[in-house]
Amino acid sequence: MSVMRSIVLFAVAALFEIGGAWLVWQGVREHRGWAWIGAGVLALGAYGFVATMQPDAHFGRILAAYGGVFVAGSLLWGMAMDGFRPDRWDVTGALICLVGVALIMYAPREA
């Protein structure tokens, strides 16, 4: 498995899922309309396809690991798009999640 390919796929998946959810949020909560909601739904659908491109064949492992990427990515998205400033506990929690991602996805396993 190419670790770099997997990391890139996680980043693209995060962009689609977090971005899609943010677009739906903007459409509904910020009253930006159906075009924003529709774009969000399309992005969320694209996320589902990107996740299938991970080299590991185990759905549960991919989605469990992606959960950690989602936590860290959501904080970064909030910083970039909404001016959110995470505190030390947010950052510590995100780092713990990313260590979990590394263990789940990239720890050596017996064949």
Side-chain angles (χ1 to χ4, degrees):
M1 160 177 35
S2 166
V3 172
M4 187 53 65
R5 178 174 185 257
S6 175
I7 291 170
V8 168
L9 286 169
F10 276 134
V12 172
L15 179 69
F16 281 132
E17 186 183 21
I18 298 164
W22 183 81
L23 287 166
V24 171
W25 179 283
Q26 293 297 309
V28 175
R29 300 274 307 245
E30 304 298 327
H31 309 289
R32 294 194 179 197
W34 285 102
W36 286 68
I37 295 167
V41 168
L42 291 174
L44 288 165
Y47 151 73
F49 284 100
V50 171
T52 68
M53 295 178 193
Q54 280 289 347
D56 192 290
H58 299 92
F59 174 82
R61 180 176 294 146
I62 299 299
L63 269 287
Y66 177 70
V69 173
F70 180 83
V71 168
S74 295
L75 293 175
L76 291 171
W77 188 279
M79 290 171 62
M81 301 303 290
D82 290 327
F84 173 71
R85 295 292 168 241
D87 64 21
R88 65 183 174 168
W89 301 112
D90 295 323
V91 172
T92 301
L95 290 173
I96 290 169
C97 288
L98 291 175
V99 168
V101 171
L103 289 171
I104 291 169
M105 288 299 297
Y106 311 120
R109 291 188 163 79
E110 295 180 21

